[in-house]
Amino acid sequence: SLFCGTDAISSDAVPDEPLPSEDEQTATSLSPVRKSSVTAGSVARYALLFVLIAVTVVQTIYFQFKFQKWQPERRSYFSWAYPQLFERALGESLRPIYLQDGRYGPAYILALWYATVQGVDLSNFVHLPEGAPPPPDSLILGSVTECANCYDILGMEAFLLYQTKGSTARPGIPRPGSTSVEGLPLVPVIFGSEGADPGKFSKPRGVTSDQQGNFYVADSMNNRVQKFDSERKFVASFSREATGDEHPMDPEGLAVDTAGNLYVTDVANHNLLKFGSDGQFISSWHGPDTGFYGPRDIAINQSNQLYIVDSGRSRIARFDTVTQKFFAFGTPGNADGQFTAITGITVAEDLVIVVETGNKRIQAFDFDGNFVRQWNIDAWKENVPGWPDAVFDKQEKVVYVSSGLKKEIIAFDLDGNPVRGISIDSSDQMSGVSAMSILETQKTRFLIVVDTGNSRVLVFQIGEVKAKKTSKP
C-alpha cells in the first residue's frame, strides 16, 4: 500500500523534475542579498562613469574656449619655441647645459622630455635649484626672457638660451679693430614672429634707431611702425589713423631726427610722413616736382637732411626738414651717378652710400648729390639678393651690406675695400634679410637686422661703445 500510495501521489503530481542540490538550495536562499549587492555595485560604476564623462566634456569645452579665446598666443601655451632653443643648446660646445626655472614655470621638465624622446643622455643637463645663480662661463636654457652679465644666444617667446660671462669670452663677439675679410660668425638674438599683436610682425621691411637707445620696425603688412627699447620691449605703435587718409599706411623706410621725430616712407601711397616722438601724426609730403613713385629706404645726416630712395623714378630725393624743400639727383642708367634698382641707402660721415642691385654695385655721393666713387659687389655676380640695405658703423668706419637670402652680411671700408663682415651663425634659415640699423646703448653696440621673409628681427651684439676722448683745457 505504501508503494501504491506513492505511485498514486506521483501519478497525480507535476511531471518528474530533479531535486535541487544543496549548493543550488544555498544559492537560492541567498539570491535576494546577492541581487541587492549586484544592483548597488552597478549603480556605483555607472555613477563613476557618468562623472568621468562629464569631466571630460567640461575639459573639452574649456580647452576649446581657451583655444579660441587666446588664438594669437596659443603657440605660447604649447611652448612651440622650446624645441628650437633645445636643438640650439645641443649644438653648443659647453657642457653641462644648466636648466633654469624662471617666471614662466619649471621649464626644465621640457628639456628632460625632449632629451628622453630624442635619446639624449640626461647627464648633459643640470637643473639649477630655485634662486641659485648659474656658474660663470656656463650655458643656460631657461624660462626667462633676460639675463644679467651674459651673452644672449637665442631668445624666443618665454625662453632664453644664454652664456654667462666669465674668464672666457663667447666666440663670435667681435673685437674692435679687426679687418679680416672673412665673415665673423655671430649668433643673433631672434625675436618676434608672424602676428598682429605688439611685438609681432607681418613682413617687416624697415628699421632705424634713435639717440635714446630705442629702435623702430616698419611692420609693413600690419600698416604700422612699432617702437622698442634697447631691451626689445614694446614701447609704442605708430599708424596712419590720425591722418584721416582712407588708405592704410604702407611703411618701409624709417629715420629719426635729432628732435626725436619719426619719418616714414609710405610706399603704396607715394608719400613721406612725419610723426612726433609721442606717435602723433604731424605732416606728409608728396615729394619733389612730379612727386614720389614708390619711395622706399631713408637715410638722415647730421643736419637733419633726409635722403630718400625714390625707386620708381630711379633717383634720390633730398628733403631738408628745416626748410621743407626737396632736391633730387640721379637718372635711370648704369653710368656714374645713374641708378638701376636702388634698394638701400645710408649716410657715412660726409658721404651718401647708395646700394643698387641692378648694376650690382655701391655708389658714394656728397651731400649735394655729386658723384664721388663706386665699387662693384663681386658676391652679386651670379646671385643678386632681393632687397639689400646698407648701414654705417661710425665707430668702426665700416659699411655693412645685407645679402638678402644668404646668411651673411658683407662689409667695406669707405674706399670700397672689403673688410670683415658677419656670418649669421644660426640653425634657422633666413628668408629675405634686408633693412639694418646700428643701435647704441650706454655700453653696448648692436646691429639690428630685419628678416622680412620670416617676419622677425635679428639682434647682433657687435661690440662695446668706446669712451669718447675729452680734450684737455
Side-chain angles (χ1 to χ4, degrees):
S1 63
L2 179 61
F3 288 104
C4 292
T6 302
D7 291 336
I9 294 173
S10 297
S11 61
D12 296 332
V14 296
D16 292 340
E17 292 183 359
L19 294 175
S21 65
E22 292 183 2
D23 293 338
E24 290 174 332
Q25 293 179 23
T26 302
T28 302
S29 64
L30 295 177
S31 60
V33 178
R34 184 177 181 182
K35 289 180 179 179
S36 175
S37 171
V38 171
T39 302
S42 299
V43 171
R45 285 195 295 271
Y46 280 118
L48 178 60
L49 179 61
F50 176 79
V51 170
L52 292 176
I53 293 175
V55 170
T56 302
V57 171
V58 170
Q59 286 184 327
T60 302
I61 294 174
Y62 178 75
F63 175 83
Q64 289 296 327
F65 170 76
K66 297 291 286 186
F67 190 79
Q68 297 300 327
K69 179 179 180 181
W70 300 105
Q71 181 174 356
E73 292 83 20
R74 64 176 60 152
R75 294 196 300 178
S76 299
Y77 281 97
F78 291 96
S79 303
W80 71 275
Y82 196 87
Q84 300 180 57
L85 280 86
F86 181 78
E87 291 297 328
R88 183 53 188 272
L90 293 179
E92 294 287 324
S93 59
L94 288 176
R95 289 294 184 273
I97 301 171
Y98 289 89
L99 306 177
Q100 181 183 44
D101 298 332
R103 59 180 296 187
Y104 298 103
Y108 81 96
I109 297 176
L110 294 172
L112 300 184
W113 164 261
Y114 285 112
T116 302
V117 170
Q118 297 178 22
V120 179
D121 190 344
L122 296 183
S123 64
N124 286 285
F125 307 93
V126 172
H127 182 207
L128 284 172
E130 183 177 358
D137 291 321
S138 59
L139 186 66
I140 316 297
L141 176 58
S143 56
V144 295
T145 55
E146 57 186 20
C147 59
N149 194 33
C150 67
Y151 301 115
D152 285 358
I153 299 176
L154 179 61
M156 299 180 70
E157 293 290 343
F159 307 106
L160 179 65
L161 176 67
Y162 67 94
Q163 177 186 332
T164 52
K165 293 183 179 180
S167 59
T168 304
R170 173 169 175 76
I173 300 299
R175 294 292 176 261
S178 173
T179 57
S180 172
V181 176
E182 294 183 0
L184 183 65
L186 288 187
V187 180
V189 173
I190 302 175
F191 84 102
S193 58
E194 182 73 36
D197 294 332
K200 295 186 177 182
F201 311 102
S202 181
K203 297 298 181 288
R205 296 199 304 255
V207 64
T208 193
S209 59
D210 61 24
Q211 297 178 353
Q212 286 70 46
N214 304 302
F215 67 96
Y216 306 73
V217 178
D219 190 9
S220 301
M221 295 300 290
N222 284 324
N223 309 118
R224 65 186 179 185
V225 176
Q226 295 193 69
K227 178 180 179 181
F228 302 88
D229 65 16
S230 59
E231 300 296 326
R232 306 183 301 279
K233 295 179 180 177
F234 174 80
V235 176
S237 179
F238 297 69
S239 66
R240 205 183 182 197
E241 296 176 356
T243 68
D245 196 299
E246 61 180 354
H247 302 292
M249 179 174 66
D250 183 16
E252 180 162 333
L254 304 175
V256 179
D257 64 19
T258 54
N261 298 306
L262 175 68
Y263 294 86
V264 183
T265 54
D266 187 352
V267 180
N269 297 297
H270 312 296
N271 286 326
L272 172 67
L273 309 178
K274 179 181 180 181
F275 295 86
S277 58
D278 57 356
Q280 293 296 313
F281 173 76
I282 296 177
S283 187
S284 67
W285 297 269
H286 297 294
D289 49 67
T290 55
F292 290 122
Y293 187 54
R296 294 190 179 276
D297 201 13
I298 312 178
I300 189 168
N301 66 12
Q302 301 88 335
S303 300
N304 287 327
Q305 291 178 318
L306 297 175
Y307 292 85
I308 305 158
V309 172
D310 193 5
S311 61
R313 303 194 189 282
S314 298
R315 64 182 181 179
I316 304 298
R318 186 184 70 185
F319 177 68
D320 192 311
T321 61
V322 178
T323 64
Q324 298 191 13
K325 292 183 178 180
F326 282 96
F327 161 74
F329 61 91
T331 56
N334 55 16
D336 294 346
Q338 294 185 320
F339 304 109
T340 301
I342 314 170
T343 60
I345 193 169
T346 191
V347 169
E349 296 185 341
D350 58 350
L351 296 174
V352 178
I353 305 296
V354 180
V355 181
E356 51 170 331
T357 58
N359 292 317
K360 303 177 182 180
R361 66 181 179 181
I362 286 177
Q363 294 192 71
F365 301 84
D366 64 20
F367 287 163
D368 291 325
N370 298 307
F371 174 81
V372 176
R373 68 178 68 93
Q374 68 92 27
W375 61 89
N376 297 324
I377 309 294
D378 293 336
W380 295 352
K381 287 183 178 180
E382 295 182 2
N383 297 315
V384 179
W387 295 95
D389 189 20
V391 65
F392 180 62
D393 184 348
K394 61 183 179 181
Q395 180 167 296
E396 299 302 318
K397 311 298 183 185
V398 168
V399 177
Y400 288 112
V401 181
S402 58
S403 247
L405 298 177
K406 294 185 177 181
K407 295 174 61 175
E408 64 178 352
I409 296 171
I410 54 181
F412 304 89
D413 64 20
L414 290 179
D415 291 323
N417 300 308
V419 296
R420 181 200 66 201
I422 295 174
S423 173
I424 302 176
D425 185 4
S426 173
S427 59
D428 296 323
Q429 292 297 319
M430 305 302 159
S431 178
V433 175
S434 55
M436 300 186 298
S437 181
I438 300 288
L439 173 68
E440 286 193 359
T441 63
Q442 291 183 347
K443 296 181 179 181
T444 310
R445 297 161 50 248
F446 299 94
L447 176 64
I448 313 293
V449 181
V450 171
D451 185 1
T452 304
N454 290 315
S455 294
R456 58 189 182 182
V457 175
L458 315 178
V459 181
F460 298 88
Q461 182 177 332
I462 59 174
E464 299 178 349
V465 176
K466 293 180 180 178
K468 296 181 179 179
K469 296 181 179 180
T470 57
S471 59
K472 295 182 179 180

